Amino acid sequence: MLTKKLMIASSAAALALGLSACGGGEAAESGDGASPEENMESTEETMAEENMDSAMSGPFGPACADVPAEGAGSFSGMAEDPVATAASNNPALSTLVDAVTQADLVDTLNNAEDITVFAPANAAFGQIPEEDLNALLEDRDQLTEVLTYHVVEGKQTPADLENGTFTSLQGADVTTSGSGEDYTVNDEAGVVCGNVQTANATVYIIDGVLMPPQN
């Protein structure tokens, strides 16, 4: 009788051990082998990358604060209009709009498909001596050369600007460099409000007026 009880107890113990082994195997197979600390670090890195991507998907830069919060001149309003019309609704670009109108380029810009415009802010034109600026505005051919030099092919993203070379509508190349929220164009003008979307263009508002290379 004692022998029979020992055999039953032994069998039960063996069965429990087998079930425990199976359960442990499944747990090992279902886990990724990483410690809780490593999983937490991976999650934090992923969230940081997602936050960075989210931030860079919209406008950035100090001058973006000057853009109206509502209405046709706001970011959402500009996104609904072609670029020349969108710029005309943004008070920070009024001098540029006057120049575009003077050069009769409104329809050219509005009808273009997938372009990027490096748009000088009003303060950028203010850096040009008044006499020189008036002379430029009165010389339609030269004005057209200058303005079309600010327009390049394709809707360029901030990542494209990190080390970019683009063909302008004027014909000469425009170069860009930088990262994050700090970009320069032709090593002379800084982006002060970037990645602004319009119906047919991406706009980077800059703090200088670009001059095409002389032939």
Side-chain angles (χ1 to χ4, degrees):
M1 186 72 172
L2 178 60
T3 302
K4 185 175 181 181
K5 288 182 179 180
L6 290 174
M7 290 178 63
I8 293 174
S10 177
S11 298
L15 178 60
L17 181 62
L19 290 175
S20 175
C22 289
E26 289 175 358
E29 291 175 1
S30 62
D32 58 7
S35 68
E37 291 80 4
E38 290 172 335
N39 285 331
M40 183 174 292
E41 290 177 359
S42 177
T43 300
E44 289 175 350
E45 290 175 358
T46 300
M47 291 177 65
E49 291 173 357
E50 290 175 351
N51 289 337
M52 176 70 75
D53 291 341
S54 177
M56 296 308 294
S57 65
F60 63 87
C64 291
D66 298 331
V67 176
E70 299 178 348
S74 65
F75 292 128
S76 58
M78 291 179 69
E80 297 179 359
D81 293 320
V83 64
T85 301
S88 70
N89 293 321
N90 189 327
L93 300 174
S94 58
T95 305
L96 174 62
V97 171
D98 289 343
V100 168
T101 302
Q102 185 75 12
D104 196 23
L105 290 173
V106 172
D107 289 341
T108 299
L109 295 178
N110 276 347
N111 293 329
E113 294 184 5
D114 295 337
I115 56 175
T116 292
V117 178
F118 297 106
N122 292 342
F125 285 100
Q127 297 174 14
I128 302 175
E130 184 176 359
E131 183 177 349
D132 294 340
L133 179 59
N134 289 337
L136 176 63
L137 293 174
E138 292 172 3
D139 186 336
R140 181 168 170 176
D141 289 340
Q142 184 182 5
L143 183 60
T144 299
E145 286 279 306
V146 171
L147 293 177
T148 53
Y149 185 59
H150 290 74
V151 183
V152 303
E153 301 172 343
K155 283 190 171 185
Q156 308 301 336
T157 68
D160 295 327
L161 268 58
E162 291 182 2
N163 185 24
T165 299
F166 313 103
T167 302
S168 71
L169 187 60
Q170 182 265 349
D173 285 344
V174 174
T175 61
T176 59
S177 60
S179 62
E181 295 188 0
D182 185 14
Y183 296 93
T184 58
V185 186
N186 284 357
D187 292 325
E188 58 183 277
V191 173
V192 293
C193 183
N195 205 28
V196 178
Q197 299 302 314
T198 74
N200 67 327
T202 298
V203 177
Y204 292 89
I205 301 176
I206 57 177
D207 62 6
V209 177
L210 306 176
M211 293 299 176
Q214 299 297 318
N215 295 328

Short mmCIF file of all heavy atoms in Angstrom, two decimals, residues 102-160:
data_model
loop_
_atom_site.label_atom_id
_atom_site.label_comp_id
_atom_site.label_asym_id
_atom_site.label_seq_id
_atom_site.Cartn_x
_atom_site.Cartn_y
_atom_site.Cartn_z
N GLN A 102 4.61 93.15 -59.71
CA GLN A 102 5.33 94.05 -60.61
C GLN A 102 5.96 93.28 -61.76
O GLN A 102 6.01 93.76 -62.89
CB GLN A 102 6.40 94.80 -59.82
CG GLN A 102 7.15 95.88 -60.59
CD GLN A 102 6.33 97.13 -60.80
OE1 GLN A 102 5.27 97.30 -60.19
NE2 GLN A 102 6.80 98.00 -61.70
N ALA A 103 6.45 92.07 -61.46
CA ALA A 103 7.10 91.25 -62.49
C ALA A 103 6.11 90.41 -63.29
O ALA A 103 6.51 89.66 -64.18
CB ALA A 103 8.14 90.34 -61.85
N ASP A 104 4.83 90.52 -62.96
CA ASP A 104 3.77 89.78 -63.65
C ASP A 104 4.00 88.26 -63.55
O ASP A 104 3.87 87.53 -64.53
CB ASP A 104 3.69 90.20 -65.13
CG ASP A 104 2.38 89.76 -65.78
OD1 ASP A 104 1.39 89.54 -65.05
OD2 ASP A 104 2.34 89.62 -67.02
N LEU A 105 4.32 87.82 -62.33
CA LEU A 105 4.60 86.40 -62.11
C LEU A 105 3.52 85.70 -61.30
O LEU A 105 3.67 84.53 -60.95
CB LEU A 105 5.94 86.24 -61.38
CG LEU A 105 7.20 86.58 -62.19
CD1 LEU A 105 8.43 86.54 -61.27
CD2 LEU A 105 7.38 85.62 -63.35
N VAL A 106 2.43 86.40 -61.01
CA VAL A 106 1.37 85.81 -60.18
C VAL A 106 0.82 84.54 -60.79
O VAL A 106 0.76 83.48 -60.15
CB VAL A 106 0.24 86.82 -59.92
CG1 VAL A 106 -0.93 86.13 -59.21
CG2 VAL A 106 0.75 87.99 -59.09
N ASP A 107 0.42 84.61 -62.05
CA ASP A 107 -0.15 83.42 -62.71
C ASP A 107 0.89 82.32 -62.87
O ASP A 107 0.57 81.13 -62.74
CB ASP A 107 -0.72 83.80 -64.08
CG ASP A 107 -1.99 84.63 -63.97
OD1 ASP A 107 -2.62 84.60 -62.89
OD2 ASP A 107 -2.35 85.31 -64.96
N THR A 108 2.14 82.71 -63.16
CA THR A 108 3.21 81.71 -63.33
C THR A 108 3.37 80.89 -62.06
O THR A 108 3.47 79.65 -62.11
CB THR A 108 4.55 82.40 -63.66
OG1 THR A 108 4.41 83.12 -64.89
CG2 THR A 108 5.67 81.39 -63.78
N LEU A 109 3.38 81.55 -60.91
CA LEU A 109 3.56 80.84 -59.65
C LEU A 109 2.31 80.08 -59.25
O LEU A 109 2.40 78.94 -58.76
CB LEU A 109 3.95 81.83 -58.55
CG LEU A 109 5.30 82.52 -58.72
CD1 LEU A 109 5.54 83.50 -57.59
CD2 LEU A 109 6.43 81.51 -58.79
N ASN A 110 1.17 80.68 -59.45
CA ASN A 110 -0.08 80.01 -59.06
C ASN A 110 -0.36 78.77 -59.90
O ASN A 110 -0.98 77.81 -59.42
CB ASN A 110 -1.26 80.98 -59.18
CG ASN A 110 -1.42 81.85 -57.95
OD1 ASN A 110 -0.82 81.60 -56.91
ND2 ASN A 110 -2.23 82.88 -58.07
N ASN A 111 0.08 78.76 -61.14
CA ASN A 111 -0.21 77.63 -62.04
C ASN A 111 0.89 76.57 -62.04
O ASN A 111 0.73 75.52 -62.66
CB ASN A 111 -0.41 78.14 -63.47
CG ASN A 111 -1.67 78.99 -63.60
OD1 ASN A 111 -2.65 78.77 -62.90
ND2 ASN A 111 -1.64 79.97 -64.50
N ALA A 112 2.00 76.84 -61.36
CA ALA A 112 3.09 75.86 -61.30
C ALA A 112 2.66 74.68 -60.44
O ALA A 112 1.83 74.80 -59.54
CB ALA A 112 4.35 76.50 -60.73
N GLU A 113 3.25 73.52 -60.73
CA GLU A 113 2.94 72.31 -59.96
C GLU A 113 4.14 71.88 -59.14
O GLU A 113 5.24 71.77 -59.67
CB GLU A 113 2.51 71.18 -60.90
CG GLU A 113 1.20 71.44 -61.63
CD GLU A 113 0.77 70.24 -62.46
OE1 GLU A 113 1.44 69.19 -62.38
OE2 GLU A 113 -0.23 70.36 -63.20
N ASP A 114 3.90 71.64 -57.86
CA ASP A 114 4.92 71.09 -56.97
C ASP A 114 6.24 71.87 -57.05
O ASP A 114 7.22 71.42 -57.64
CB ASP A 114 5.17 69.61 -57.29
CG ASP A 114 3.95 68.77 -57.01
OD1 ASP A 114 3.11 69.18 -56.20
OD2 ASP A 114 3.83 67.68 -57.60
N ILE A 115 6.26 73.02 -56.42
CA ILE A 115 7.46 73.84 -56.37
C ILE A 115 7.77 74.18 -54.91
O ILE A 115 6.96 73.98 -54.01
CB ILE A 115 7.29 75.14 -57.17
CG1 ILE A 115 6.07 75.94 -56.66
CG2 ILE A 115 7.19 74.85 -58.66
CD1 ILE A 115 5.90 77.30 -57.31
N THR A 116 8.98 74.68 -54.70
CA THR A 116 9.38 75.21 -53.40
C THR A 116 9.79 76.66 -53.61
O THR A 116 10.55 76.97 -54.53
CB THR A 116 10.54 74.40 -52.81
OG1 THR A 116 10.06 73.09 -52.48
CG2 THR A 116 11.08 75.06 -51.54
N VAL A 117 9.31 77.53 -52.74
CA VAL A 117 9.62 78.96 -52.83
C VAL A 117 10.38 79.38 -51.58
O VAL A 117 9.90 79.17 -50.45
CB VAL A 117 8.33 79.80 -52.97
CG1 VAL A 117 8.68 81.29 -53.03
CG2 VAL A 117 7.55 79.39 -54.22
N PHE A 118 11.55 79.96 -51.79
CA PHE A 118 12.30 80.58 -50.71
C PHE A 118 11.87 82.04 -50.71
O PHE A 118 12.32 82.84 -51.54
CB PHE A 118 13.80 80.41 -50.92
CG PHE A 118 14.24 78.97 -50.91
CD1 PHE A 118 14.59 78.32 -52.09
CD2 PHE A 118 14.28 78.25 -49.72
CE1 PHE A 118 14.98 76.99 -52.08
CE2 PHE A 118 14.67 76.92 -49.71
CZ PHE A 118 15.02 76.29 -50.89
N ALA A 119 10.97 82.38 -49.80
CA ALA A 119 10.28 83.66 -49.83
C ALA A 119 10.92 84.67 -48.88
O ALA A 119 10.82 84.51 -47.65
CB ALA A 119 8.81 83.46 -49.47
N PRO A 120 11.56 85.73 -49.40
CA PRO A 120 12.14 86.74 -48.51
C PRO A 120 11.05 87.48 -47.72
O PRO A 120 10.06 87.93 -48.29
CB PRO A 120 12.84 87.69 -49.48
CG PRO A 120 13.07 86.90 -50.73
CD PRO A 120 11.87 86.00 -50.82
N ALA A 121 11.25 87.57 -46.43
CA ALA A 121 10.33 88.34 -45.60
C ALA A 121 10.51 89.83 -45.87
O ALA A 121 11.49 90.25 -46.50
CB ALA A 121 10.59 88.04 -44.12
N ASN A 122 9.57 90.62 -45.41
CA ASN A 122 9.67 92.07 -45.62
C ASN A 122 11.00 92.62 -45.13
O ASN A 122 11.61 93.49 -45.78
CB ASN A 122 8.52 92.77 -44.90
CG ASN A 122 7.17 92.46 -45.52
OD1 ASN A 122 7.08 92.02 -46.66
ND2 ASN A 122 6.09 92.70 -44.78
N ALA A 123 11.45 92.13 -43.98
CA ALA A 123 12.71 92.62 -43.41
C ALA A 123 13.90 92.31 -44.31
O ALA A 123 14.90 93.04 -44.31
CB ALA A 123 12.92 92.02 -42.03
N ALA A 124 13.81 91.25 -45.10
CA ALA A 124 14.90 90.90 -46.02
C ALA A 124 15.05 91.96 -47.09
O ALA A 124 16.17 92.38 -47.43
CB ALA A 124 14.63 89.53 -46.65
N PHE A 125 13.92 92.42 -47.64
CA PHE A 125 13.98 93.49 -48.64
C PHE A 125 14.45 94.79 -48.00
O PHE A 125 15.07 95.63 -48.66
CB PHE A 125 12.61 93.68 -49.28
CG PHE A 125 12.25 92.62 -50.27
CD1 PHE A 125 11.41 91.57 -49.92
CD2 PHE A 125 12.74 92.65 -51.57
CE1 PHE A 125 11.07 90.58 -50.83
CE2 PHE A 125 12.42 91.67 -52.50
CZ PHE A 125 11.58 90.63 -52.13
N GLY A 126 14.17 94.95 -46.70
CA GLY A 126 14.59 96.16 -46.00
C GLY A 126 16.09 96.28 -45.86
O GLY A 126 16.60 97.37 -45.59
N GLN A 127 16.81 95.18 -46.06
CA GLN A 127 18.27 95.21 -45.98
C GLN A 127 18.90 95.79 -47.25
O GLN A 127 20.07 96.15 -47.26
CB GLN A 127 18.81 93.80 -45.74
CG GLN A 127 18.38 93.18 -44.43
CD GLN A 127 18.83 91.73 -44.30
OE1 GLN A 127 19.67 91.27 -45.04
NE2 GLN A 127 18.26 91.02 -43.34
N ILE A 128 18.12 95.86 -48.33
CA ILE A 128 18.62 96.41 -49.58
C ILE A 128 18.46 97.93 -49.54
O ILE A 128 17.38 98.43 -49.20
CB ILE A 128 17.84 95.83 -50.78
CG1 ILE A 128 17.94 94.31 -50.80
CG2 ILE A 128 18.34 96.42 -52.10
CD1 ILE A 128 17.09 93.65 -51.88
N PRO A 129 19.50 98.69 -49.86
CA PRO A 129 19.35 100.15 -49.89
C PRO A 129 18.16 100.57 -50.74
O PRO A 129 17.89 99.98 -51.80
CB PRO A 129 20.68 100.62 -50.51
CG PRO A 129 21.65 99.53 -50.16
CD PRO A 129 20.86 98.25 -50.21
N GLU A 130 17.43 101.56 -50.26
CA GLU A 130 16.18 101.96 -50.91
C GLU A 130 16.36 102.28 -52.39
O GLU A 130 15.54 101.91 -53.23
CB GLU A 130 15.57 103.16 -50.19
CG GLU A 130 14.22 103.58 -50.73
CD GLU A 130 13.60 104.72 -49.93
OE1 GLU A 130 14.23 105.16 -48.95
OE2 GLU A 130 12.50 105.17 -50.31
N GLU A 131 17.44 102.96 -52.71
CA GLU A 131 17.70 103.32 -54.11
C GLU A 131 17.87 102.08 -54.97
O GLU A 131 17.33 101.99 -56.08
CB GLU A 131 18.95 104.21 -54.20
CG GLU A 131 19.26 104.70 -55.60
CD GLU A 131 20.46 105.63 -55.66
OE1 GLU A 131 20.94 106.06 -54.58
OE2 GLU A 131 20.93 105.91 -56.78
N ASP A 132 18.63 101.11 -54.45
CA ASP A 132 18.85 99.86 -55.20
C ASP A 132 17.56 99.05 -55.32
O ASP A 132 17.29 98.45 -56.36
CB ASP A 132 19.93 99.03 -54.51
CG ASP A 132 21.29 99.69 -54.55
OD1 ASP A 132 21.50 100.58 -55.41
OD2 ASP A 132 22.14 99.35 -53.71
N LEU A 133 16.78 99.03 -54.25
CA LEU A 133 15.52 98.28 -54.28
C LEU A 133 14.55 98.89 -55.28
O LEU A 133 13.91 98.16 -56.06
CB LEU A 133 14.88 98.25 -52.88
CG LEU A 133 13.55 97.51 -52.77
CD1 LEU A 133 13.69 96.06 -53.20
CD2 LEU A 133 13.00 97.59 -51.34
N ASN A 134 14.45 100.20 -55.31
CA ASN A 134 13.57 100.87 -56.26
C ASN A 134 14.01 100.60 -57.69
O ASN A 134 13.18 100.39 -58.59
CB ASN A 134 13.53 102.38 -56.00
CG ASN A 134 12.78 102.71 -54.71
OD1 ASN A 134 11.95 101.93 -54.25
ND2 ASN A 134 13.09 103.86 -54.13
N ALA A 135 15.32 100.60 -57.91
CA ALA A 135 15.85 100.32 -59.25
C ALA A 135 15.52 98.90 -59.67
O ALA A 135 15.17 98.65 -60.83
CB ALA A 135 17.36 100.55 -59.27
N LEU A 136 15.60 97.97 -58.71
CA LEU A 136 15.27 96.57 -59.01
C LEU A 136 13.80 96.42 -59.36
O LEU A 136 13.45 95.74 -60.33
CB LEU A 136 15.62 95.69 -57.80
CG LEU A 136 15.25 94.21 -57.90
CD1 LEU A 136 16.00 93.54 -59.04
CD2 LEU A 136 15.53 93.49 -56.58
N LEU A 137 12.95 97.07 -58.59
CA LEU A 137 11.51 96.96 -58.83
C LEU A 137 11.09 97.58 -60.15
O LEU A 137 10.08 97.18 -60.74
CB LEU A 137 10.75 97.63 -57.67
CG LEU A 137 10.87 96.95 -56.30
CD1 LEU A 137 10.19 97.79 -55.22
CD2 LEU A 137 10.28 95.54 -56.34
N GLU A 138 11.87 98.53 -60.63
CA GLU A 138 11.54 99.20 -61.88
C GLU A 138 12.12 98.50 -63.11
O GLU A 138 11.74 98.80 -64.24
CB GLU A 138 12.04 100.65 -61.85
CG GLU A 138 11.29 101.51 -60.84
CD GLU A 138 11.93 102.88 -60.66
OE1 GLU A 138 12.92 103.16 -61.37
OE2 GLU A 138 11.44 103.66 -59.82
N ASP A 139 13.05 97.58 -62.88
CA ASP A 139 13.68 96.83 -63.98
C ASP A 139 13.02 95.44 -64.03
O ASP A 139 13.44 94.52 -63.34
CB ASP A 139 15.18 96.70 -63.75
CG ASP A 139 15.92 96.08 -64.92
OD1 ASP A 139 15.28 95.34 -65.71
OD2 ASP A 139 17.13 96.32 -65.05
N ARG A 140 12.01 95.30 -64.88
CA ARG A 140 11.22 94.08 -64.88
C ARG A 140 12.05 92.84 -65.22
O ARG A 140 11.86 91.78 -64.61
CB ARG A 140 10.06 94.22 -65.88
CG ARG A 140 9.16 93.01 -65.93
CD ARG A 140 7.89 93.31 -66.69
NE ARG A 140 7.13 92.10 -66.95
CZ ARG A 140 5.94 92.08 -67.54
NH1 ARG A 140 5.38 93.22 -67.93
NH2 ARG A 140 5.31 90.95 -67.75
N ASP A 141 12.96 92.96 -66.16
CA ASP A 141 13.77 91.80 -66.55
C ASP A 141 14.65 91.34 -65.39
O ASP A 141 14.72 90.14 -65.08
CB ASP A 141 14.63 92.14 -67.76
CG ASP A 141 13.81 92.28 -69.03
OD1 ASP A 141 12.67 91.76 -69.07
OD2 ASP A 141 14.30 92.91 -69.98
N GLN A 142 15.32 92.29 -64.74
CA GLN A 142 16.18 91.92 -63.62
C GLN A 142 15.36 91.40 -62.45
O GLN A 142 15.75 90.44 -61.78
CB GLN A 142 17.03 93.11 -63.18
CG GLN A 142 18.02 92.75 -62.07
CD GLN A 142 18.83 93.95 -61.60
OE1 GLN A 142 18.59 95.07 -62.03
NE2 GLN A 142 19.79 93.71 -60.71
N LEU A 143 14.22 92.03 -62.21
CA LEU A 143 13.34 91.60 -61.13
C LEU A 143 12.87 90.17 -61.35
O LEU A 143 12.82 89.37 -60.41
CB LEU A 143 12.14 92.55 -61.02
CG LEU A 143 11.16 92.27 -59.88
CD1 LEU A 143 11.84 92.36 -58.53
CD2 LEU A 143 9.98 93.25 -59.96
N THR A 144 12.53 89.85 -62.59
CA THR A 144 12.10 88.49 -62.91
C THR A 144 13.22 87.49 -62.66
O THR A 144 12.99 86.40 -62.12
CB THR A 144 11.65 88.41 -64.38
OG1 THR A 144 10.54 89.29 -64.58
CG2 THR A 144 11.22 86.99 -64.75
N GLU A 145 14.45 87.86 -63.03
CA GLU A 145 15.61 87.00 -62.79
C GLU A 145 15.77 86.71 -61.29
O GLU A 145 15.98 85.58 -60.88
CB GLU A 145 16.88 87.67 -63.32
CG GLU A 145 17.01 87.67 -64.83
CD GLU A 145 17.54 86.36 -65.36
OE1 GLU A 145 18.61 85.90 -64.90
OE2 GLU A 145 16.88 85.78 -66.24
N VAL A 146 15.65 87.75 -60.49
CA VAL A 146 15.85 87.60 -59.05
C VAL A 146 14.73 86.76 -58.44
O VAL A 146 14.98 85.83 -57.65
CB VAL A 146 15.92 88.98 -58.36
CG1 VAL A 146 15.89 88.82 -56.84
CG2 VAL A 146 17.17 89.72 -58.79
N LEU A 147 13.50 87.06 -58.78
CA LEU A 147 12.37 86.36 -58.17
C LEU A 147 12.31 84.89 -58.57
O LEU A 147 12.04 84.02 -57.73
CB LEU A 147 11.06 87.05 -58.54
CG LEU A 147 10.87 88.46 -57.96
CD1 LEU A 147 9.56 89.06 -58.48
CD2 LEU A 147 10.87 88.43 -56.43
N THR A 148 12.55 84.59 -59.83
CA THR A 148 12.49 83.20 -60.27
C THR A 148 13.66 82.38 -59.73
O THR A 148 13.60 81.15 -59.68
CB THR A 148 12.46 83.09 -61.81
OG1 THR A 148 13.57 83.82 -62.37
CG2 THR A 148 11.17 83.66 -62.37
N TYR A 149 14.72 83.08 -59.28
CA TYR A 149 15.83 82.38 -58.64
C TYR A 149 15.44 81.86 -57.26
O TYR A 149 16.09 80.97 -56.71
CB TYR A 149 17.04 83.32 -58.53
CG TYR A 149 18.29 82.67 -57.99
CD1 TYR A 149 18.86 81.56 -58.64
CD2 TYR A 149 18.92 83.14 -56.84
CE1 TYR A 149 20.01 80.97 -58.16
CE2 TYR A 149 20.07 82.55 -56.35
CZ TYR A 149 20.61 81.46 -57.01
OH TYR A 149 21.75 80.86 -56.54
N HIS A 150 14.35 82.37 -56.70
CA HIS A 150 13.87 81.92 -55.39
C HIS A 150 12.92 80.73 -55.48
O HIS A 150 12.40 80.28 -54.46
CB HIS A 150 13.16 83.07 -54.67
CG HIS A 150 14.08 84.17 -54.22
ND1 HIS A 150 14.64 85.07 -55.09
CD2 HIS A 150 14.53 84.51 -52.98
CE1 HIS A 150 15.40 85.92 -54.41
NE2 HIS A 150 15.35 85.60 -53.13
N VAL A 151 12.69 80.23 -56.69
CA VAL A 151 11.73 79.14 -56.90
C VAL A 151 12.47 77.93 -57.45
O VAL A 151 13.19 78.04 -58.45
CB VAL A 151 10.62 79.55 -57.88
CG1 VAL A 151 9.59 78.44 -58.04
CG2 VAL A 151 9.95 80.85 -57.42
N VAL A 152 12.32 76.77 -56.79
CA VAL A 152 12.99 75.56 -57.26
C VAL A 152 11.97 74.45 -57.50
O VAL A 152 10.84 74.51 -57.02
CB VAL A 152 14.07 75.09 -56.26
CG1 VAL A 152 15.08 76.19 -56.00
CG2 VAL A 152 13.45 74.62 -54.95
N GLU A 153 12.39 73.44 -58.21
CA GLU A 153 11.52 72.34 -58.58
C GLU A 153 11.21 71.46 -57.38
O GLU A 153 12.05 71.22 -56.52
CB GLU A 153 12.19 71.49 -59.67
CG GLU A 153 12.52 72.25 -60.93
CD GLU A 153 13.34 71.42 -61.90
OE1 GLU A 153 13.92 70.40 -61.46
OE2 GLU A 153 13.40 71.78 -63.08
N GLY A 154 9.99 70.94 -57.34
CA GLY A 154 9.60 69.95 -56.33
C GLY A 154 9.24 70.58 -54.99
O GLY A 154 9.70 71.66 -54.64
N LYS A 155 8.40 69.88 -54.25
CA LYS A 155 8.08 70.28 -52.88
C LYS A 155 9.14 69.70 -51.95
O LYS A 155 9.09 68.52 -51.60
CB LYS A 155 6.69 69.79 -52.48
CG LYS A 155 5.54 70.59 -53.08
CD LYS A 155 4.22 70.17 -52.43
CE LYS A 155 3.09 71.09 -52.83
NZ LYS A 155 1.83 70.77 -52.12
N GLN A 156 10.11 70.51 -51.58
CA GLN A 156 11.25 70.03 -50.80
C GLN A 156 10.92 70.02 -49.30
O GLN A 156 10.42 71.00 -48.76
CB GLN A 156 12.46 70.91 -51.07
CG GLN A 156 12.80 71.10 -52.54
CD GLN A 156 13.10 69.79 -53.26
OE1 GLN A 156 13.49 68.80 -52.63
NE2 GLN A 156 12.92 69.77 -54.56
N THR A 157 11.22 68.91 -48.66
CA THR A 157 10.99 68.76 -47.22
C THR A 157 12.20 69.29 -46.45
O THR A 157 13.28 69.50 -47.04
CB THR A 157 10.78 67.29 -46.86
OG1 THR A 157 12.03 66.59 -47.07
CG2 THR A 157 9.69 66.66 -47.73
N PRO A 158 12.06 69.52 -45.14
CA PRO A 158 13.23 69.92 -44.35
C PRO A 158 14.40 68.95 -44.50
O PRO A 158 15.56 69.38 -44.57
CB PRO A 158 12.69 69.95 -42.92
CG PRO A 158 11.25 70.30 -43.09
CD PRO A 158 10.82 69.58 -44.34
N ALA A 159 14.12 67.66 -44.58
CA ALA A 159 15.20 66.68 -44.74
C ALA A 159 15.93 66.89 -46.07
O ALA A 159 17.15 66.68 -46.16
CB ALA A 159 14.63 65.26 -44.66
N ASP A 160 15.20 67.31 -47.11
CA ASP A 160 15.82 67.56 -48.41
C ASP A 160 16.79 68.74 -48.35
O ASP A 160 17.71 68.83 -49.17
CB ASP A 160 14.75 67.85 -49.47
CG ASP A 160 13.85 66.65 -49.75
OD1 ASP A 160 14.35 65.51 -49.65
OD2 ASP A 160 12.66 66.86 -50.05
#
